[in-house]
Structure formats: structure tokens, C-alpha cells
Amino acid sequence: MNKTDKIYIAGHRGMVGSAIQRSLEAAGFSNIVSRTSRELDLRDQQLVKRFFDQERPDYVFLAAAKVGGILANNTYRGEFLYDNLMIEANIIEAARVYGVTKLMFLGSSCIYPKLAPQPLTEDALLTGPLEPTNEPYAIAKITGIKLCDAYRHQYGCDFISVMPTNLYGPNDNYDLKSSHVLPALIRKFHEAKVNNEKEVVMWGTGLPKREFLHADDLADACVFLMREFSDYGFVNIGTGEDLAILELAQTIKEVVGYQGEISHDMTKPDGTPRKLMNVGKLNAMGWKHTISLKSGIEQVYASLTGEEWY
Ligand code: GFB
């Protein structure tokens, strides 16, 4: 990737896309194109083709997706499957037709079988049944990986895939119905502190374990892999460390400075018991995360002043 190459970031307003944009700009890349979802509906094949015809990007970061936490995934199952299939198929096909030099497709750690051996190595893909709460999203993301591999095989396209673990960072979603656990708990603890509430209700048992990566670390890894990785399959991106959701809640409680109790809403699902990434492949290539979970949460909490709900 040269500094003047034209780079299209699909999903530049989201947490991941905006982090990739910051990372590229900091590294001196100045020819970045993007469109909001209002300007370009990525589910519309004709519009996507027209955009690629006009802009002719050299590189594509495919970070646009319909995303959400466990409840949103489980509720809007049709949208999570259809929207994500359309977005990735339209962009990957247009990238082929309009001769994109290299494309990176971003997936998710939920592509792995629910009970795959931990930590999850890349070869565990398609070795068992998926976690039911996010099966539609996972199937769409698995299809994206397979599309990149099939296009590499049939057409020689340099299209690669990466699988990030659970993410957090600037531009996260704080809507309590659709968000992931980390932003949801930041909001819940903050509001409980401000309103002097006696308890914060978290979902499920708190026993499932999750790994969390700051979006800035993810973006750095994506730019690194765009340069260093060109092959079939994909590369896990994570920290290689996880903790129980209850431990996460206690960490956030401490950062926020909330003094009350934590209780559990057992009507909400736990989801997959554990999804810890094996990041051996990425580490062996020379990349490691730099932002610890505690300092990342402190950083996010300190910069929430602009958030509407805050
Ligand atoms: O982050 P999360 O929504 O998604 O939930 P997943 C992780 C765990 O935190 C679950 C618990 O066990 C939740 O029950 N949890 C506790 C909460 N309190 C809360 C809360 O207030 N809000 C939320 N949202 N969770 C998603 C997948 O799975 O992760 C997606 O559905 C994607 O497909 C994404 O892979 C990264 O980690 O379970």
C-alpha cells in the first residue's frame, strides 16, 4: 500500500471503520474514500457497482456490517443474515469486477463452533454447530470468508479475511437493547452512579468468558495485515486473554466509581460459554496488542462527554 493509493473504507462511521481511518491517516495515507449509509446503501448491488465504477479504489477495508450484541443478534435474525450477506457479496463482487488490488474482509470470533476447543485456532472453523443466538450473523461472516477464498482460487483476487474478537472503543453503540456488554455496562454503572441507584442489573449468570480488544489495536492490526498477509483462510485478531463477564462488570464498576450492588437478569441469554482467540498466528507475524483492558476502559470512560446519553 502506497501513501497515495486510493483506499475505500466501507463502514467508516462505525467503531471499526472509524478506527481504521484514524490509523491510516496517522500513517500518512491521504487518499481515503468513504460513503455514509445514506449516500450509499451497500445492500443495493447496482449502487455498489456504480460507486466502484466511479471511484476505482485500489484497496478496500470491508468493515461495514449490521452488528449488535447478543439480544440484537437473536432478535433481528433475518436482518443480520440478509443485510450482511448482501453487503459483503456486493462489495466483494464489485472489488473483483473493478480490479481492486487488495481487499480485507472483517469477520468476527462468533464464526467458531460453540464448543470449539479453547483458545480458538483458525482451523476450528466449520468443525461443529454454531452458538444459536448469533448463528445468522456467523453464517453471513463465514460466507464472506469463503467468498474471499473462492475469488482467490477462481479469479486470483488478493482478498483476505481477518477475525477480530469482541471489540470496544470510540464510536461504540450505547443503546442498551442493541449494544454489546462492555458499552452497556459502562452506561449502566455510570447512570446508576449519577442517579444513586442501589443496584445494576447485568444479563445472565456473568460466568461466560469473553476477550476484549480496543478498536485502535484492531485498526493497527488490520493495517499491518493488509501489508503482511495474502493467503487463503484468515487471521485471528485479539489479545489472547479473557475474563468472566462478572469480572468485567467489577472492573467497569471500579473504573466508573460506582458503590452499589450487581444483580443478574436470568431471563437474558448467556450465549457461548467462552470464545478466546488463539493469536499465535498473528503474534508470529510480528503483531501484538498494546492497550490493556483496564486502561482501554478508563480511556473510553474518560472520553464519553460527547455521547448523547452521558
Ligand atoms: O457482548 P454480548 O452482547 O455478546 O454479551 P456476545 C456478552 C455476554 O455479556 C453475554 C452478558 O453473556 C451477555 O448475557 N451481558 C451481561 C450483557 N450484561 C449485559 C448487558 O447489559 N448487555 C449485553 N449486551 N450483554 C455477540 C454476538 O455475542 O458478540 C455477535 O452476538 C458478535 O454475533 C459479538 O460476535 C462480538 O459476545 O455473547
Side-chain angles (χ1 to χ4, degrees), residues 68-70 73 108 110 134 137 166 179-181 184 188 202-203 208 210 245 269-270 275:
I70 191 165
N73 266 267
S108 158
C110 71
N134 59 31
Y137 181 71
N166 289 32
S179 61
H180 290 99
V181 60
K188 285 180 179 178
M202 60 182 285
W203 295 353
R210 293 288 184 275
I245 295 297
D270 266 353
K275 46 178 172 180

Side-chain angles (χ1 to χ4, degrees), residues 157-172:
C157 296
D158 193 1
F159 295 173
I160 60 169
S161 301
V162 299
M163 291 309 121
T165 190
N166 289 32
L167 304 167
Y168 69 99
N171 299 322
D172 210 340

Side-chain angles (χ1 to χ4, degrees), residues 122 162-163 213 217 221-222 224-225 235-239 278-289:
E122 285 86 352
V162 299
M163 291 309 121
L213 180 73
D217 268 338
C222 287
F224 172 83
L225 288 168
V235 182
N236 287 341
I237 306 179
T239 63
N278 180 321
V279 285
K281 187 171 172 179
L282 179 59
N283 291 167
M285 292 171 77
W287 189 91
K288 200 175 181 313
H289 75 286

Side-chain angles (χ1 to χ4, degrees), residues 61-307:
F61 287 88
L62 206 180
K66 174 150 189 89
V67 298
I70 191 165
L71 194 62
N73 266 267
N74 202 18
T75 309
Y76 306 107
R77 297 176 73 88
E79 279 175 66
F80 272 80
L81 184 51
Y82 178 81
D83 288 6
N84 286 309
L85 283 176
M86 295 306 284
I87 291 168
E88 67 202 28
N90 289 342
I91 293 179
I92 290 169
E93 169 67 0
R96 176 189 75 81
V97 170
Y98 294 100
V100 164
T101 306
K102 189 165 183 177
L103 174 145
M104 173 182 282
F105 171 68
L106 283 94
S108 158
S109 58
C110 71
I111 56 157
Y112 287 110
K114 176 175 178 136
L115 300 176
Q118 308 280 326
L120 300 153
T121 45
E122 285 86 352
D123 60 8
L125 184 72
L126 292 174
T127 55
L130 297 162
E131 153 62 25
T133 54
N134 59 31
E135 191 189 71
Y137 181 71
I139 298 243
K141 289 295 180 184
I142 293 169
T143 305
I145 300 168
K146 293 299 177 187
L147 207 50
C148 288
D149 281 356
Y151 276 36
R152 176 176 292 274
H153 180 88
Q154 185 175 348
Y155 307 115
C157 296
D158 193 1
F159 295 173
I160 60 169
S161 301
V162 299
M163 291 309 121
T165 190
N166 289 32
L167 304 167
Y168 69 99
N171 299 322
D172 210 340
N173 170 17
Y174 287 87
D175 175 86
L176 293 179
K177 287 200 197 84
S178 59
S179 61
H180 290 99
V181 60
L182 195 149
L185 290 181
I186 288 182
R187 179 172 179 169
K188 285 180 179 178
F189 281 114
H190 176 74
E191 289 184 339
K193 180 179 86 169
V194 171
N195 301 325
N196 279 317
E197 283 159 19
K198 279 209 189 93
E199 62 170 23
V200 161
V201 183
M202 60 182 285
W203 295 353
T205 59
L207 297 175
K209 296 183 91 175
R210 293 288 184 275
E211 173 186 8
F212 297 92
L213 180 73
H214 193 286
D216 286 344
D217 268 338
L218 170 77
D220 191 55
C222 287
V223 175
F224 172 83
L225 288 168
M226 191 62 122
R227 289 174 156 146
E228 303 291 330
F229 179 71
S230 279
D231 208 344
Y232 290 99
F234 56 92
V235 182
N236 287 341
I237 306 179
T239 63
E241 299 154 17
D242 64 357
L243 78 175
I245 295 297
L246 184 57
E247 290 176 77
L248 174 76
Q250 281 153 351
T251 307
I252 295 175
K253 180 182 168 187
E254 193 189 314
V255 170
V256 170
Y258 173 66
Q259 304 293 338
E261 302 297 319
I262 297 174
S263 69
H264 298 260
D265 175 356
M266 300 299 277
T267 66
K268 297 289 194 303
D270 266 353
T272 200
R274 194 178 186 197
K275 46 178 172 180
L276 175 64
M277 293 286 212
N278 180 321
V279 285
K281 187 171 172 179
L282 179 59
N283 291 167
M285 292 171 77
W287 189 91
K288 200 175 181 313
H289 75 286
T290 58
I291 306 172
S292 75
L293 180 58
K294 180 93 183 283
S295 69
I297 293 171
E298 284 166 351
Q299 193 195 100
V300 166
Y301 186 56
S303 56
L304 281 177
T305 39
E307 293 287 342

